[in-house]
Amino acid sequence: MNQDRPIRKTTIYDLAELAGTSASAVSAVLNGNWKKRRISSQLAEKITRLAEEQGYAINMQASLLRREKSKIIGMIVPKYDNRYFGSIVETFETKARERGLFPIITCTRRDPELEVEAARTMLSYQVEWLVSTGATDPDRISDICGAAGVGSLNLDLPGTKAPSIISDNFTGARELTRRILVNSERKLGAARPLLFIGGRGGDHNTAERVRGFRAAHADIGVAIDERHILTCGYAPEKAEMSLQALAMAEREMPSGMFVNSTISLEGVMRWIKRSGHYVNHAPVIGCFDWDPFAALLGDEIEMVRQDVQGMLSAVFEVIDHGAKGASLIEIPPIFVDSDNALINDPTA
């Protein structure tokens, strides 16, 4: 066998033969137009898998580098259900247009397959950069972008194969917990251990916030009951069910709570109102998120506002000037008092 003989590149016709379909169907799938052609998702997945196995995706997407720049920049976001992600999208659009870029944004519902489909479709539109916000599998998206010669960034949740810009979750959670404990001591006469509720235990942000929560308790020598760390997800209904289950298992509920998003806070407040467990005394609450209507929930609720402007400025700093490898950039959060006034971060 002649080792110097060049290996023949896989063609679109080869893929069509392997998939048992037409070359035009293969082209539609690889260009992200398969839904318009009413091609089944099963066939689209088969063609995509064969293209990746044969190395065709790399060959196809590399040709984009030889074309004129599109001036298109893409972003995927997991949800539109709170002010945080809405603010990210709005700020992203503004900063992209300031640079003469056209932003394309899509919601992927925390579904890894939707994330991949969105990434491939955006590549078919020749995006110059793709920003993955809160992606469940950011490294997979980075691999797809890397094969296409397209820059990728991670926002909100980090990855290991592209620059990541996130909030400083550990420091923010430690300071938020400290503030809740101070309020607990002032209102109840003692800094009593808090309940942590909300978020997904397996994601980086929640894990770092739990770590900060533990550290703040350890700072003042207060022990945590491990049953009171309820990483039940973000949905309001899950927060309600988790609190109800805890209330059924224990005679007395904790007097203070660290709530891991305004989405979870909705469920917490709903449960407090319905359950009657805090009729005589409202719990001391802090929330790692921000919404101006929180001021209506009562006095002295502590809130953390993630610095969206700072995070997006860091994103476009990388896009404008580049960054080394899979660097991690952590942006300090901003603390907000019960009147929604910004407070300087004493940890800075």
Side-chain angles (χ1 to χ4, degrees), residues 39 42 51 94 108 119 138 160 164 182 184 190 207 219 237-238 241 250 297 304 327:
I39 295 170
Q42 291 84 357
T94 299
T108 50
T160 64
S164 300
V182 167
S184 175
D219 289 340
E237 296 78 14
K238 292 183 178 180
M241 289 188 293
E250 299 185 2
L297 300 178
V304 174
S327 56

Side-chain angles (χ1 to χ4, degrees), residues 151-208:
S152 66
L153 282 162
N154 303 312
L155 179 64
D156 183 61
L157 283 174
T160 64
K161 297 185 176 182
S164 300
I165 294 91
I166 65 173
S167 290
D168 186 346
N169 292 285
F170 170 75
T171 303
R174 188 176 193 171
E175 174 62 14
L176 177 61
T177 305
R178 185 194 69 79
R179 289 168 181 251
I180 305 169
L181 289 168
V182 167
N183 285 343
S184 175
E185 183 172 17
R186 180 173 56 81
K187 296 180 73 172
L188 305 174
R192 300 175 184 175
L194 308 174
L195 170 74
F196 185 105
I197 184 163
R200 297 175 298 170
D203 75 31
H204 174 275
N205 291 356
T206 296
E208 284 296 281

